[in-house]
Amino acid sequence: MTTLSHEAQQGTTGQGGPALPQEIRLVTEVPGPRSRELAARRTAAVSAAVGSSMPFYAAAAGGGVVVDVDGNSYADLGSGIAVTTVGNSAPAVVAAVTEQVERFTHTCFMITPYDSYVELAERLAELTPGDFAKKSAFFVSGAEAVENAVKIARAHTGRQAVVVFDHAYHGRTNLTMAMTAKNMPYKNGFGPFAPEVYRAPLSYPFRDGLDGPAAAARAIAVVEKQVGAANLAAIVIEPVQGEGGFIVPAPGFLPAIAAWAKENGVVFVADEVQTGVARTGAWFASHLEGVEPDLVTIAKGVAGGLPLSAVTGRAEIVDAPVTGGLGGTYGGNPLATAAALATLRTIEDEDLLARARRLEEILFGRLRALAARDPRVGDVRGRGAMVAVELVKPGTTEPDAALAKKVATEAAQQGVIVLTCGTDGNVLRFLPPLSIGDDLLNQAFDVLDRVFAAN
Ligand SMILES: *Cc1c(COP(=O)(O)O)cnc(C)c1O
């Protein structure tokens, strides 16, 4: 590994657009006049069912900033939901996509295959946990990867049932809505949902006080009584829950679940759509838990912002469906596979795993200091550059969603993009691009400190 590059410390600006100053700078009210004009057009033309957290419209982004159409520059603590891990318009990604877009944009891998698809499958086999033969198939969205992992597990086992967990988020398609826990807004009014999906209790140290093995025993008892191993194709779990609230299970929980799956011939699927590809300070969060999933679902951070998802796992399991059983017109599109290869190279060249661990130190430092003086911060948790605070009524564990919403809204007004999550909406989550500089990150937390103090 090379040492941390100057760009990774200071924030890269991307070579595709103008060099972007790495600063929080507001030159109009938020949202400014151009954003307000777009909002009015949007109201007339875009479905009201599609929401946006931020009231301003993007014009450029790179390093650790997003610049809006009115020229305001915001610190980005969201990365477009954990996608631009290597930075927006990261130079290597721009170069790879530019080169590919001029050669060919699409042939469909199911019609005329191409080398970058094969090379990406080879790379993911090396980078995912476990020293065994692995294969991959590529898709477009995270939800599609999860659906295909279930298809593969069913084809391999000849069984139908799927176990998921409390607070899980796996997507918005019909099968993944059934797998996602939270009704509002993801499922409300959209049923009937796919059958044979069962929910088990998660390890949630802040709320259940159980150690990992005890929480695993509780979950396994539910699965054995309500489903039965003989009917179970797959257990699907996020190693750190994303939309559900950045819940890190107690140590030993995941290994115990994985061991039970192995004993019972159940396919263990780690949904690493949010946690994967350097986000948590390891290539995959499963590495940190010491588990070797049979299948890993990968998306978000893997292709520097281009739409690509993968199922990577044990060769004999991934090979189980009939030929032609997996695929899709755009799955592993050549622009996306080129972007993914450049993303993986950038992570190695700039040692971004170390950068994610360094960001963890800064994030934990700032948030623990906040928690020490503000009793509404009930819990600080996460891994790498995937860290959150759970907000509660002081002296209780009662969720305070209103505070999370207020802080996120006011932070945006003051030049910081920060996202909320959690089944109760009371979690503020921090997912900066790994290309953000230390100075900008600290400035963003100075803003957040002031917003907390003022509310
Ligand atoms: C975002 C997410 C998904 C769904 O990915 P899409 O690309 O939005 O379909 C699935 N699983 C997890 C863990 C996610 O964070």
Side-chain angles (χ1 to χ4, degrees):
M1 296 256 176
T2 57
T3 54
L4 190 58
S5 72
H6 180 74
E7 284 75 11
Q9 287 171 337
Q10 300 305 316
T12 51
T13 54
Q15 65 181 23
L20 298 176
Q22 297 297 298
E23 62 184 7
I24 296 170
R25 199 165 84 97
L26 301 179
V27 297
T28 70
E29 70 278 21
V30 175
R34 292 210 169 104
S35 280
R36 289 202 303 270
E37 198 185 308
L38 281 163
R41 283 169 50 198
R42 172 206 180 120
T43 302
V46 178
S47 167
V50 181
S52 297
S53 310
M54 298 297 133
F56 45 86
Y57 284 70
V65 300
V66 173
V67 178
D68 76 11
V69 288
D70 292 289
N72 299 301
S73 176
Y74 305 83
D76 181 10
L77 304 187
S79 297
I81 320 186
V83 168
T84 53
T85 304
V86 295
N88 243 302
S89 300
V93 173
V94 172
V97 173
T98 303
E99 193 270 334
Q100 177 61 47
V101 81
E102 286 171 347
R103 281 202 295 137
F104 60 94
T105 50
H106 176 86
T107 55
C108 188
F109 192 78
M110 300 185 302
I111 306 299
T112 310
Y114 37 89
D115 61 353
S116 59
Y117 191 114
V118 177
E119 188 182 343
L120 184 60
E122 290 167 348
R123 292 292 287 133
L124 291 175
E126 290 162 12
L127 296 172
T128 47
D131 190 15
F132 42 79
K134 292 178 210 142
K135 295 191 181 186
S136 290
F138 298 129
F139 310 96
V140 179
S141 70
E144 227 188 325
V146 173
E147 289 233 359
N148 279 281
V150 170
K151 285 163 67 173
I152 291 167
R154 284 176 171 161
H156 171 72
T157 58
R159 306 171 183 174
Q160 294 185 350
V162 177
V163 161
V164 292
F165 289 81
D166 287 335
H167 309 286
Y169 183 85
H170 297 295
R172 296 169 179 266
T173 58
N174 187 264
L175 175 56
T176 58
M177 274 194 294
M179 296 169 72
T180 289
K182 191 173 173 174
N183 173 52
M184 192 65 89
Y186 306 126
K187 307 167 72 164
N188 193 52
F190 295 150
F193 303 112
E196 290 303 317
V197 176
Y198 301 88
R199 197 167 305 283
L202 184 74
S203 167
Y204 193 163
F206 177 61
R207 294 191 176 276
D208 67 18
L210 295 177
D211 67 20
R218 177 179 64 174
I220 289 164
V222 168
V223 174
E224 287 181 336
K225 291 200 176 68
Q226 298 184 17
V227 187
N231 302 304
L232 185 55
I235 294 177
V236 183
I237 188 164
E238 299 155 81
V240 177
Q241 279 197 331
E243 307 305 300
F246 281 29
I247 302 161
V248 184
F253 178 76
L254 281 173
I257 300 284
W260 182 87
K262 196 180 180 77
E263 277 159 33
N264 290 281
V266 173
V267 177
F268 181 78
V269 183
D271 181 354
E272 295 234 25
V273 165
Q274 191 154 164
T275 52
V277 198
R279 177 51 60 184
T280 63
W283 278 107
F284 292 90
S286 295
H287 283 118
L288 301 171
E289 299 285 346
V291 295
E292 296 181 350
D294 298 310
L295 302 177
V296 183
T297 55
I298 303 166
K300 293 195 166 93
V302 73
L306 273 81
L308 181 102
S309 68
V311 179
T312 300
R314 288 185 187 276
E316 67 277 15
I317 298 180
V318 178
D319 275 344
V322 295
T323 299
L326 304 181
T329 306
Y330 292 111
N333 169 273
L335 304 178
T337 49
L341 288 168
T343 296
L344 301 177
R345 255 196 329 273
T346 301
I347 291 167
E348 282 184 340
D349 290 350
E350 299 188 0
D351 197 5
L352 293 181
L353 302 187
R355 183 66 190 150
R357 293 192 290 269
R358 170 70 187 134
L359 291 179
E360 177 184 297
E361 283 173 18
I362 298 174
L363 291 167
F364 274 138
R366 296 296 303 236
L367 293 169
R368 285 185 179 139
L370 175 66
R373 60 177 186 271
D374 194 327
R376 298 169 300 177
V377 178
D379 196 21
V380 180
R381 58 180 181 244
R383 287 191 190 286
M386 180 175 182
V387 171
V389 287
E390 178 157 358
L391 304 180
V392 294
K393 300 273 162 51
T396 73
T397 57
E398 196 190 325
D400 191 346
L403 178 62
K405 191 166 180 214
K406 198 140 191 281
V407 169
T409 303
E410 289 193 12
Q413 297 291 329
Q414 297 185 35
V416 177
I417 298 173
V418 54
L419 313 178
T420 61
C421 66
T423 301
D424 293 304
N426 65 322
V427 178
L428 276 178
R429 55 170 155 175
F430 305 98
L431 291 161
L434 303 182
S435 53
I436 197 170
D438 291 3
D439 287 353
L440 181 61
L441 186 60
N442 276 308
Q443 283 163 30
F445 275 91
D446 294 344
V447 170
L448 283 164
D449 284 349
R450 285 202 297 275
V451 171
F452 267 96
N455 279 283

